[in-house]
Amino acid sequence: MRHGKKVNHLGRTDSHRKAMLANMASSLIKHKRISTTLAKAKALRMYVEPIITKSKNDTTHSRRIVFSYLQDKETVTELFRDIAAKVANRPGGYTRIIKLNNRLGDNAEMALIELVDYNEVYGKEAESADKKTTRRGRSKAKKSDAPAAKAEKAEVVAEEIPAKEEAAPEAKEEATPAAEEEATPAAKEKADDKGE
């Protein structure tokens, strides 16, 4: 009887299952994400996360232990060189499982398993995006500010138009058209003072 034994045998013998998980872990480390069935993805997560944790401590002993699980020198090198540096500050939870549509042939539940630190969609860029406020809160702020802002703009525009019209005829008499374009309102006022 298998009471309390939580390991998923995946319909394989022990040696076949270990070889399959080692190959899937190597593929995950090389490609950063793989697509497989949901049951295999969950079994792979339990298999690969302790290996990634072991890679944080870069010693000969930990490299040999990881190699005994993966049986691939290139994968071990990439794990200790690149991935260990990226996950150094993460206290576990190195993988993410995303469910996909069922497989067409046998309707098996499919999933995408990926390394969390190598995904740009859910990464730091997505977290830094501006958070939107609720529709209710945003509309209240705009309604209360909008009439006051419009009234202030109208007053400012009304004050500027007569001032320009009054200063313009006197400035034209003293300055040429090119100088008029370059003249600032302060220069125009000085010219008005000299004319008086």
Side-chain angles (χ1 to χ4, degrees):
M1 285 188 271
R2 56 175 305 276
H3 294 304
K5 296 181 180 178
K6 295 183 179 180
V7 64
N8 188 349
H9 297 290
L10 300 172
R12 289 162 172 81
T13 61
D14 189 52
S15 58
H16 185 181
R17 186 175 62 252
K18 286 179 180 176
M20 182 192 69
L21 289 173
N23 287 334
M24 290 175 68
S26 295
S27 297
L28 179 64
I29 290 167
K30 285 180 185 175
H31 303 293
K32 311 303 186 260
R33 69 176 54 94
I34 59 172
S35 178
T36 183
T37 61
L38 184 61
K40 286 181 189 174
K42 288 179 179 179
L44 178 61
R45 177 171 55 188
M46 292 175 60
Y47 185 84
V48 79
E49 292 213 358
I51 293 173
I52 296 173
T53 301
K54 184 66 76 174
S55 73
K56 288 182 175 182
N57 185 15
D58 191 4
T59 61
T60 306
H61 180 62
S62 58
R63 279 180 179 262
R64 287 176 176 167
I65 290 174
V66 169
F67 180 76
S68 71
Y69 283 101
L70 297 179
Q71 297 293 318
D72 187 3
K73 288 182 182 178
E74 294 174 3
T75 305
V76 171
T77 303
E78 185 171 351
L79 176 64
F80 278 87
R81 184 182 301 149
D82 300 332
I83 296 175
K86 266 211 166 182
V87 300
N89 296 328
R90 185 178 292 277
Y94 312 110
T95 57
R96 175 187 295 124
I97 296 176
I98 301 169
K99 291 183 180 180
L100 302 174
N101 293 333
N102 290 2
R103 191 160 52 194
L104 288 177
D106 58 356
N107 205 33
E109 291 180 315
M110 298 298 288
L112 181 78
I113 182 167
E114 64 185 5
L115 296 176
V116 172
D117 293 296
Y118 285 89
N119 189 342
E120 295 81 23
V121 177
Y122 297 105
K124 295 177 182 175
E125 295 85 19
E127 291 175 4
S128 65
D130 295 335
K131 293 183 179 180
K132 294 183 179 179
T133 59
T134 59
R135 180 178 266 180
R136 183 175 48 211
R138 187 172 58 232
S139 62
K140 284 182 183 178
K142 284 189 176 180
K143 284 181 182 176
S144 63
D145 295 341
K150 286 182 182 178
E152 289 176 7
K153 284 183 180 179
E155 291 174 7
V156 170
V157 171
E159 291 175 1
E160 289 178 359
I161 292 173
K164 287 182 181 178
E165 289 176 358
E166 292 173 3
E170 297 173 7
K172 285 181 183 176
E173 294 172 2
E174 296 176 5
T176 61
E180 181 184 344
E181 292 175 3
E182 296 174 2
T184 61
K188 289 180 182 179
E189 289 178 6
K190 288 182 180 177
D192 292 341
D193 293 339
K194 289 179 182 177
E196 293 175 355

